[in-house]
Amino acid sequence: MRRSIATVSMSGTLRQKLEAIAVARFDAIELFENDFIAFNGSASELRAMTEDLGLGIDLFQPFRDFEGMPDDAFQKSLDRAERKFDLMEALGAPLMLVCSNTSPLALDDAARSAAQLHALAERAARRNLRIGYEALAWGRCVRLYGQAWKIVEQADHPHLGLILDSFHTLSLRDNPAGIAAIRGERIFFLQMADAPLLAMDVLQWARHHRNFPGQGQFDLENFFLQVLLAGYAGPLSLEIFNDQFRETPNRRTALDAMRSLLLLESQVRARLERERERDTAVASPSRDAAAHTLQRIELFDPPRGPALEGFSFLEFGVDDDNAEALGTLLGQLGFARAGRHRTKTVTRYRQGDIQLAVNAEPASPARARFDAQGPSVCAIGLATAEPLQAASRAAALLSARHESPRGAHELQLPAIVAPGGTIVHFVPSAGGAMLDADFVATPGSTPAPDAGLVGIDHIALGLAQDQFDTWILFAKAVLGLQRGESLELADPFGLIRSSGVANATRSVRLVLNVSLSQRTRTARQVSATGRAGGGVQHIALGTRDIFATMERLRGNGVRFVPISANYYDDLLARLDLGEAAVRRMQSLDILYDRSPTGEFLHAYAFADRFFFEVVQRKAYDGYGAVNAPARMAAQEQNAESTKK
């Protein structure tokens, strides 16, 4: 399909927006009128600029408060429209969006609206232009696509058609199923926007909180499917009003925008293919419609996303001094030095199924990351049965490939660059054994006593505000993870917005955290990462017996965040846990949460720039968010007492 985006969807001057849109390989734009009004150039100059960038101007918008007006106001609007037609001819824009009237003068008279739109379409036809009529969710008389379609049908002019916008339909909980019954050639344009489900005025929701497909909670897949089943074959476009996007670097926004459309197309294609493959022995109009749609429309078809099986390894970027300090901490946590890389200054640590690499190689990307932001997780290894296919899908969905420096006969893992610069390696399912080939045993090393840590439960990322939606889309489109509940957590100095993403088997879990204040610990950690905009904030390590593990770790000298005694008194008051059990948790600074299906126990160790969490799950699917305020307050109070 022809892919387009409205210029209002991103930051920058109009020229900067167009350049970013072209780099992301869009075919065309919707020109938002305010962008042209502020443009320091003529319509013909803008047309030449877009053509030089390989872009078309598919839509000029919006033309407001036109239909259903008293006669004198209607005549003035016709004169106004002629001026806009002059502009559209100079721009080479063939279609104008007329949104449903919001004026207090508008009359609730569908016949009048149809007649006035017919007159406008007649004038547009003289110039070989077209008019698209769209129902605004806050229109005075017309809010629903069904109302707009009845008016378009009644107007009955070949140069007048319907424009559909997913936000206006889904924000009102209107059912899009009726779209499939509309004649596809009468739908002139399709705009897509996702959004979080919010309880607020629809106008404020629309103007500040839309986002790209895959970043919100609307069922865009079904909406888009209904439009295709109608026979629509026109542009697939994005119109996004979002305060954060107006601040975000526009090339990243444009990349996210294109990735979101590719994801949406691939999802609907897969749904159509499933419908087409249904039992052919049974007559099925829906199956026939799906088959016809797939023949008629070319939808993006990336390599299938293979299942992720878990975390294969984490790699830290450090210098020599930090390598020694981190190695000491890992030893206290029960990790054994499992070998030294054959050609690089990289040490491997193991415990249970956990593999950690500490990279102090001077010429490596890991060192460059350390130089930019200090000790940090620079790479993540994800296990999958089909690593090449995983990397190919990621590249098709616009992730940059990465190749690490390697010596002769050393292992090369398919890898991509995640938002913010973290490298994601796709590791064969038997990757643990494969990695052995690149490492040699450290002479004279004494294995540390095992502390009972068995696997990486999850990792949490602290992100800049403008990285949050980017990571949500990356996790969903590239890694195949699904978004969980979004929460707001209370830090002593502000709120933290947090959302988990995970695969179906929960073998890969990420927690994405962004601070709504610049004073929180999360914000300070993100600020320290500089241009990277954040990274891994903490690493949760799983155990089957948290009490035994904590006793061993404390015996090894690991320091844990001290939790207030008041927390445990409240725990006793809230839950029927028993005095002895709670006091044992208190003695080890273990936090506790309970869900309808299970239990979660966890504790936090200190580390530089990031920290480790020890967790035990018992049929529990969350992350202990209820305990986050107690943990964050304890961290701040400990830091305060340390300064004294």
Side-chain angles (χ1 to χ4, degrees):
M1 297 189 74
R2 184 173 172 88
R3 302 180 186 113
S4 175
I5 186 170
T7 55
V8 74
S9 304
M10 60 187 63
S11 67
T13 65
L14 184 54
R15 177 184 290 276
Q16 291 168 341
K17 293 180 182 187
L18 295 177
E19 290 172 348
I21 291 167
V23 167
R25 299 185 181 180
F26 279 91
D27 300 302
I29 63 165
E30 302 176 34
L31 180 60
F32 197 67
E33 184 176 44
N34 287 357
D35 280 320
F36 178 74
I37 291 172
F39 176 63
N40 187 21
S42 67
S44 59
E45 288 172 333
L46 179 56
R47 179 176 184 173
M49 185 190 306
T50 56
E51 289 175 349
D52 286 346
L53 291 169
L55 297 170
I57 303 176
D58 281 2
L59 178 71
F60 179 80
Q61 65 121 327
F63 192 70
R64 302 182 189 276
D65 297 337
F66 176 78
E67 87 292 357
M69 294 292 271
D71 291 344
D72 56 343
F74 168 61
Q75 290 301 321
K76 290 179 181 178
S77 288
L78 284 177
D79 294 339
R80 178 165 55 99
E82 292 289 357
R83 289 182 176 273
K84 298 305 178 185
F85 291 158
D86 292 340
L87 176 59
M88 290 171 64
E89 287 184 321
L91 289 168
L95 177 64
M96 181 167 73
L97 182 151
V98 176
C99 50
S100 60
N101 206 322
T102 63
S103 169
L105 299 176
L107 304 172
D108 191 4
D109 184 341
R112 172 182 287 266
S113 294
Q116 291 180 352
L117 284 168
H118 181 99
L120 181 64
E122 186 66 23
R123 293 201 178 197
R126 296 171 193 162
R127 306 187 189 223
N128 198 29
L129 301 174
R130 298 196 303 167
I131 303 299
Y133 182 51
E134 175 188 67
L136 285 181
W138 54 92
R140 183 171 177 83
C141 305
V142 176
R143 298 182 181 88
L144 306 178
Y145 73 85
Q147 295 174 295
W149 170 233
K150 287 181 180 178
I151 290 172
V152 168
E153 274 194 305
Q154 188 173 350
D156 192 24
H157 196 289
H159 282 251
L160 175 67
L162 188 66
I163 290 181
L164 294 171
D165 184 314
S166 62
F167 180 86
H168 295 305
T169 297
L170 301 179
S171 64
L172 296 179
R173 276 68 169 177
D174 191 17
N175 187 351
I179 294 173
I182 299 173
R183 301 196 308 276
E185 70 273 10
R186 301 306 306 280
I187 302 173
F188 282 3
F189 206 78
L190 173 62
Q191 297 172 321
M192 302 299 294
D194 207 341
L197 297 179
L198 301 172
M200 67 186 310
D201 174 74
V202 69
L203 180 57
Q204 294 303 310
W205 190 9
R207 290 185 174 173
H208 301 283
H209 299 286
R210 301 192 209 188
N211 46 25
F212 295 130
Q215 294 177 329
Q217 296 169 284
F218 285 172
D219 186 359
L220 296 191
E221 183 180 315
N222 181 56
F223 183 92
F224 185 31
L225 177 67
Q226 301 308 315
V227 178
L228 293 181
L229 292 176
Y232 178 73
L236 174 61
S237 192
L238 295 165
E239 185 192 40
I240 311 297
F241 294 82
N242 184 294
D243 295 344
Q244 193 64 61
F245 292 0
R246 293 186 180 100
E247 303 174 13
T248 303
N250 55 34
R251 298 221 172 184
R252 171 151 44 94
T253 301
L255 182 69
D256 285 350
M258 178 57 77
R259 177 178 281 157
S260 76
L261 287 185
L262 297 178
L263 174 63
L264 180 62
E265 286 185 33
S266 68
Q267 290 172 325
V268 172
R269 180 188 180 94
R271 184 163 170 175
L272 287 166
E273 287 176 341
R274 289 193 299 271
E275 184 64 33
R276 182 184 61 182
E277 310 263 326
R278 287 178 60 187
D279 185 2
T280 56
V282 180
S284 171
S286 62
R287 187 187 65 234
D288 295 342
H292 177 68
T293 300
L294 285 169
Q295 291 174 349
R296 182 175 52 81
I297 295 291
E298 183 179 356
L299 297 171
F300 180 63
D301 186 19
R304 179 181 56 84
L308 298 178
E309 299 172 3
F311 293 97
S312 178
F313 67 85
L314 299 179
E315 180 179 339
F316 299 86
V318 295
D319 63 2
D320 290 338
D321 291 340
N322 282 280
E324 183 176 351
L326 181 55
T328 299
L329 175 59
L330 294 179
Q332 292 174 326
L333 287 168
F335 285 87
R337 289 179 183 260
R340 184 90 164 177
H341 197 278
R342 293 181 180 278
T343 61
K344 303 182 181 76
T345 312
V346 181
T347 305
R348 183 184 182 195
Y349 294 84
R350 297 190 72 165
Q351 182 176 184
D353 291 331
I354 309 166
Q355 297 195 89
L356 305 177
V358 178
N359 189 339
E361 177 65 23
S364 71
R367 175 58 71 87
R369 189 175 179 92
F370 168 82
D371 291 340
Q373 63 184 74
S376 62
V377 173
C378 60
I380 300 168
L382 297 175
T384 176
E386 301 172 279
L388 286 173
Q389 184 169 312
S392 295
R393 175 180 172 82
L397 284 159
L398 308 181
S399 290
R401 291 185 184 269
H402 173 80
E403 289 193 12
S404 299
R406 61 175 181 144
H409 310 298
E410 290 180 355
L411 184 65
Q412 182 70 51
L413 299 172
I416 60 167
V417 182
T422 301
I423 307 302
V424 176
H425 296 272
F426 295 107
V427 184
S429 300
M434 293 182 65
L435 293 174
D436 291 342
D438 282 356
F439 289 85
V440 294
T442 306
S445 61
T446 302
D450 189 295
L453 299 174
V454 295
I456 297 174
D457 182 87
H458 67 273
I459 60 175
L461 286 74
L463 303 172
Q465 288 193 39
D466 65 0
Q467 285 275 8
F468 186 83
D469 286 326
T470 293
W471 258 99
I472 288 288
L473 182 59
F474 171 81
K476 186 172 185 177
V478 176
L479 302 182
L481 308 181
Q482 295 301 312
R483 184 176 182 176
E485 186 179 8
S486 186
L487 303 169
E488 287 189 348
L489 311 176
D491 179 276
F493 299 107
L495 291 178
I496 306 296
R497 180 183 175 199
S498 181
S499 182
V501 291
N503 61 353
T505 63
R506 301 301 192 262
S507 59
V508 175
R509 302 174 187 257
L510 307 177
V511 178
L512 309 178
N513 296 322
V514 60
S515 177
L516 306 183
S517 159
Q518 294 306 305
R519 297 184 59 207
T520 66
R521 177 174 293 269
T522 295
R524 297 196 300 272
Q525 288 175 320
V526 169
S527 178
T529 66
R531 293 177 60 189
V536 174
Q537 181 182 29
H538 83 256
I539 302 158
L541 305 174
T543 177
R544 297 187 181 93
D545 185 345
I546 193 169
F547 293 101
T549 293
M550 288 293 290
E551 287 169 355
R552 292 176 201 167
L553 294 180
R554 282 182 173 277
N556 291 344
V558 179
R559 294 188 308 116
F560 286 87
V561 176
I563 305 301
S564 167
N566 298 326
Y567 168 84
Y568 296 98
D569 290 341
D570 179 68
L571 204 58
L572 280 169
R574 288 190 296 112
L575 303 172
D576 55 340
L577 290 172
E579 182 84 26
V582 171
R583 295 311 173 195
R584 190 180 182 197
M585 293 178 203
Q586 181 177 359
S587 69
L588 296 170
D589 292 308
I590 294 173
L591 298 152
Y592 178 89
D593 189 29
R594 175 187 291 172
S595 71
T597 59
E599 299 174 295
F600 188 65
L601 298 94
H602 54 140
Y604 295 86
F606 288 105
D608 182 25
R609 293 289 311 285
F610 50 85
F611 52 90
F612 291 94
E613 181 184 8
V614 178
V615 309
Q616 182 180 2
R617 291 183 183 273
K618 300 179 181 180
Y620 176 98
D621 196 37
Y623 302 93
V626 69
N627 295 321
R631 183 262 299 174
M632 290 187 284
Q635 286 176 311
E636 291 300 332
Q637 290 172 113
N638 182 78
E640 187 178 41
S641 62
T642 301
K643 290 178 183 178
K644 293 179 180 178

